């Protein structure tokens, strides 16, 4: 095999691209362009599919952050299936109507795309808000304090610590 230069262009330039979630689609693009992946039905499959995942140097597909919003947006724009790291499978399951193909290694998707193997599709889970925990205390009885409530919600959503200190002006001193 001749050595050659490969240029990967992540266009458009004004769209922010960060993180390692592009590793898997870039590698697959190179493999398809170099005809190491070929299948008569490949173009049709690729039309409705997105690939996300970080690749290790050994070809294992590693977990990425933010898979839920990726799946939600993919469904919104008409994507039918997503190939993603096996570790992200549970998070992606709650998006109904999206076929999920979880993989552990680059070789699995290569064999699948070449028609030599099968990847078990993940079944979606129904998200039932009735199963959420009921708490004795919540913000429903707190009147006003919108900024404080918002700060607590953001803190809780991100699993951050938060300390609120009650401060009252005493003897003309300001807090």
């Amino acid at each position: 095999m001749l050595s050659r230069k490969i240029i990967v262009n992540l266009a458009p330039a004004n769209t922010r691209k960060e993180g390692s979630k592009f590793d898997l689609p870039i590698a697959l693009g190179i493999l398809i362009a170099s005809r190491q992946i070929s299948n008569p039905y490949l173009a049709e499959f690729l039309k409705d599919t997105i690939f996300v995942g970080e690749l290790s140097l050994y070809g294992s597909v590693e977990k990425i952050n933010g898979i839920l919003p990726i799946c939600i947006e993919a469904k919104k724009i008409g994507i039918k299936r997503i190939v993603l790291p096996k570790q992200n499978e549970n998070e992606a399951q709650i998006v109904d109507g999206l076929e999920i193909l979880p993989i552990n290694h680059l070789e699995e998707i290569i064999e699948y795309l070449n028609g030599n193997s099968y990847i078990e599709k993940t079944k979606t889970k129904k998200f039932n808000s009735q199963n959420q925990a009921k708490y004795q205390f919540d913000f429903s009885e707190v009147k006003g304090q919108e900024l404080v409530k918002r700060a607590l919600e953001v803190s809780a959503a991100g699993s951050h610590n938060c300390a609120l200190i009650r401060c009252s002006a005493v003897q003309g001193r300001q807090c």
Side-chain angles (χ1 to χ4, degrees), residues 35-103:
R35 293 184 174 81
Q36 294 178 57
I37 296 176
S38 63
N39 182 326
Y41 307 106
L42 188 60
E44 188 65 29
F45 180 83
L46 295 177
K47 185 176 76 172
D48 300 324
T49 307
I50 63 169
F51 301 86
V52 290
E54 176 182 353
L55 286 179
S56 76
L57 294 176
Y58 300 103
S60 62
V61 182
E62 304 294 330
K63 180 180 180 178
I64 63 165
N65 292 327
I67 199 67
L68 183 58
I70 291 170
C71 291
I72 292 169
E73 187 62 25
K75 181 182 174 190
K76 203 181 295 182
I77 63 172
I79 298 295
K80 293 181 182 173
R81 75 188 63 78
I82 182 169
V83 177
L84 48 70
K86 181 79 169 163
Q87 298 97 323
N88 290 113
E89 177 181 26
N90 287 339
E91 188 177 353
Q93 281 180 312
I94 66 171
V95 179
D96 192 31
L98 191 63
E99 188 177 294
I100 301 164
L101 298 171
I103 59 171

Side-chain angles (χ1 to χ4, degrees), residues 7 13 20 31 43 50 65 78 91 96 109 115 120 124 127 136 141 150 158 170:
I7 297 173
S20 53
L31 292 168
I50 63 169
N65 292 327
E91 188 177 353
D96 192 31
I109 192 63
E120 186 75 30
T124 57
F127 182 73
Q136 183 179 0
E141 295 181 23
R150 177 70 176 143
V170 178

Side-chain angles (χ1 to χ4, degrees), residues 2 5 24-25 28 44 75 91 107 137 144 172:
L2 297 172
K5 188 185 295 187
L24 179 62
L28 290 172
E44 188 65 29
K75 181 182 174 190
E91 188 177 353
E107 202 169 279
F137 303 106

